């Protein structure tokens, strides 16, 4: 086992607890310090998890920080990432990678000039759920994939989140918030996206916070909250995508993939584990045992993957995938506005399959470094 990857965390909101818990359970990560615009929140998070709290400039300048984990809101991702890159730090951004493709491209260009690495959520695709599904597709279990459906339908995050404003601001909405889980999974399963069509609506102008100290307060809605799209993959498969904050309930499967010889049920891509079920033509549904991916995984698996790579820089939660997914989502929304089919001008390399391994057990390097492939076509 090598030295743990030393990480500085920026942003101590709700999701930070998941990342810090993962770091505490794996020997591959060491949290050097945390920072937040609200110093009291940073102090509370540091005390809860037994780490240091620093102001952002001090965290970025800290000699022990190798990677900066940016858990700020999407609108702040570019600013934080550029500051980290300027200090020679590699950066791992929460999803979406940035609020816009243009912002993401500036981060990619700066990182390339500085010679630092980039990664981006979601890393749920590295768990046993999606990776086992991918192994099944690649083994030919359903034949050549021809179609997929992907559905995320809920009533909106204001029902449970005490500070839901950013979900309804530019960079938010169901597509940019939840779409990365589904589209990243589809890229792993079916390859990069080549073209899209879309329809987007915003039935309500305000949302009501359901709990916490701001319960009852109205939040303005400035983004589409129901998005449907047709997504064409380079493999020839076509996905029907639905992302909605306007559906009180749904029994739709998160992702189904249909091939010439069978169908596959993929578990919730917002989780690391779950049953993968396959139905061969003329047969019956059967559940597949985990055959690939990180078991016992949590948020931060993408950084663990970097720690276990030969160069401590290469992660299957790759920035080129995150940028391509962001470009796909932005293109869907533009296609909806223009009421037309649009080509997605970026592409990405599909990362290697994750061998079945335990995230909490010390790992060894299993992935050779590769050249950055993150620039979006213009």
């Amino acid at each position: 086992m090598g030295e743990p990857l030393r990480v500085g965390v920026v942003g101590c909101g709700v999701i930070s607890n998941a990342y810090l818990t993962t770091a505490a359970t794996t020997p591959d990560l060491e949290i050097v310090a945390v920072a937040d615009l609200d110093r009291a929140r940073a102090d509370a998070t540091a005390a809860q998890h037994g780490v240091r709290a620093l102001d952002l400039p001090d965290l970025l300048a800290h000699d022990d920080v190798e990677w900066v984990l940016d858990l700020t809101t999407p609108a702040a991702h570019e600013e934080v990432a550029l500051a980290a890159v300027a200090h020679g730090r590699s950066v791992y951004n929460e999803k979406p990678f940035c609020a816009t493709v243009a912002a993401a491209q500036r981060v990619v260009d700066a990182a390339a000039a500085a010679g630092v690495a980039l990664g981006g959520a979601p890393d749920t695709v590295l768990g046993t759920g999606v990776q086992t599904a991918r192994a099944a597709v690649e083994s030919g279990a359903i034949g050549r994939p021809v179609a997929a459906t992907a559905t995320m339908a809920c009533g909106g995050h204001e029902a449970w989140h005490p500070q839901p404003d950013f979900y309804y601001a530019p960079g938010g909405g169901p597509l940019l918030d939840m779409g990365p889980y589904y589209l990243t999974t589809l890229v792993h399963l079916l390859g990069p996206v080549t073209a899209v069509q879309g329809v987007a609506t915003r039935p309500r102008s305000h949302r009501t916070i359901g709990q916490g100290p701001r319960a009852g307060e109205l939040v303005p809605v400035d983004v589409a909250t129901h998005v449907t799209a047709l997504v064409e993959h380079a493999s020839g498969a076509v996905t029907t995508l639905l992302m909605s904050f306007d559906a009180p309930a749904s029994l739709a499967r998160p992702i189904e993939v249909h091939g010439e010889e069978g169908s596959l049920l993929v578990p919730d891509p917002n989780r690391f584990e779950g049953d993968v079920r396959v139905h061969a033509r003329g047969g019956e549904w059967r559940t597949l045992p985990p055959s690939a991916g990180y078991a016992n995984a949590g948020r931060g698996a993408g950084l663990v993957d970097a720690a276990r790579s030969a160069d401590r820089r290469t992660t299957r939660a790759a920035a080129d995938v995150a940028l391509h997914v962001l470009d796909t989502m932005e293109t869907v929304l533009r296609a909806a506005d223009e009421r037309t089919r649009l080509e997605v001008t970026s592409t990405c390399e599909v990362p290697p399959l994750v061998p079945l391994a335990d995230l909490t057990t010390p790992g060894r390097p299993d992935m050779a470094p590769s050249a950055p492939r993150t620039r979006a076509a213009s």
Side-chain angles (χ1 to χ4, degrees):
M1 177 182 134
E3 292 294 318
L5 198 70
R6 297 183 295 276
V7 178
V9 177
V10 181
C12 297
V14 174
I15 197 61
S16 65
N17 285 325
Y19 281 92
L20 291 165
T21 298
T22 297
T25 61
T26 175
D28 292 295
L29 297 181
E30 176 187 342
I31 304 301
V32 175
V34 299
D36 194 280
L37 282 175
D38 183 342
R39 182 55 191 256
R41 184 162 64 176
D43 288 339
T45 300
Q48 179 183 351
H49 293 276
V51 298
R52 297 178 63 186
L54 296 173
D55 292 331
L56 180 59
D58 294 330
L59 183 148
L60 296 179
H62 200 295
D63 289 339
D64 286 344
V65 173
E66 297 177 80
W67 281 74
V68 168
L69 170 59
D70 182 2
L71 304 180
T72 60
T73 59
H77 285 182
E78 178 188 9
E79 180 182 359
V80 172
L82 289 177
V85 167
H87 282 79
R89 313 304 178 201
S90 296
V91 177
Y92 186 97
N93 272 0
E94 242 300 334
K95 52 79 193 167
F97 189 76
C98 284
T100 67
V101 171
Q105 193 62 65
R106 289 190 287 269
V107 171
V108 168
D109 291 343
V116 299
L118 294 175
D123 53 14
T124 48
V125 295
L126 306 184
T128 55
V130 172
Q131 291 293 305
T132 296
R134 177 177 163 183
V137 171
E138 293 183 358
S139 74
I142 61 171
R144 182 173 68 92
V146 297
T149 60
T151 305
M152 191 295 300
C154 71
H157 294 347
E158 72 277 7
W160 60 269
H161 200 293
Q163 304 286 343
D165 307 66
F166 70 94
Y167 290 117
Y168 299 101
L175 183 60
L176 268 71
D177 176 50
M178 298 300 293
Y181 298 108
Y182 290 77
L183 285 164
T184 305
T185 295
L186 291 163
V187 166
H188 274 251
L189 295 173
L190 303 175
V193 177
T194 57
V196 298
Q197 300 174 58
V199 178
T201 61
R202 181 173 64 107
R204 287 178 278 170
S205 61
H206 292 82
R207 296 292 179 112
T208 303
I209 298 176
Q211 64 175 348
R214 298 173 60 198
E217 183 178 331
L218 294 180
V219 173
V221 177
D222 297 320
V223 294
T225 52
H226 183 96
V227 181
T228 60
L230 294 177
V231 178
E232 302 173 34
H233 297 269
S235 63
V238 177
T239 295
T240 302
L241 179 77
L242 185 151
M243 299 281 113
S244 182
F245 284 166
D246 292 304
S250 174
L251 291 176
R253 298 284 184 173
I255 295 178
E256 297 183 358
V257 181
H258 306 289
E260 293 178 331
E261 302 300 330
S263 295
L264 188 76
L265 300 183
V266 183
D268 185 348
N270 193 17
R271 301 183 183 276
F272 288 88
E273 301 176 346
D275 287 343
V276 177
R277 303 182 67 195
V278 65
H279 190 298
R281 185 182 293 276
E284 297 180 349
W285 287 109
R286 60 188 179 92
T287 301
L288 302 178
S291 61
Y294 286 118
N296 298 312
R299 259 63 172 186
L303 286 167
V304 172
D305 202 59
R308 295 184 183 184
S309 70
D311 62 354
R312 296 168 66 85
R313 294 164 48 92
T314 306
T315 172
R316 292 178 176 88
D320 66 333
V321 175
L323 177 55
H324 176 61
V325 166
L326 177 60
D327 189 20
T328 298
M329 296 187 296
E330 198 170 276
T331 306
V332 165
L333 294 175
R334 192 167 71 252
D337 286 341
E338 299 177 12
R339 299 182 179 275
T340 189
R341 175 183 178 273
L342 294 176
E343 293 186 355
V344 176
T345 55
S346 67
T347 190
C348 65
E349 295 288 331
V350 179
L353 190 73
V354 180
L356 187 61
D358 194 308
L359 198 78
T360 62
T361 302
R364 64 170 186 262
D366 70 344
M367 188 167 59
S370 58
R373 295 179 293 267
T374 50
R375 186 170 186 85
S378 57

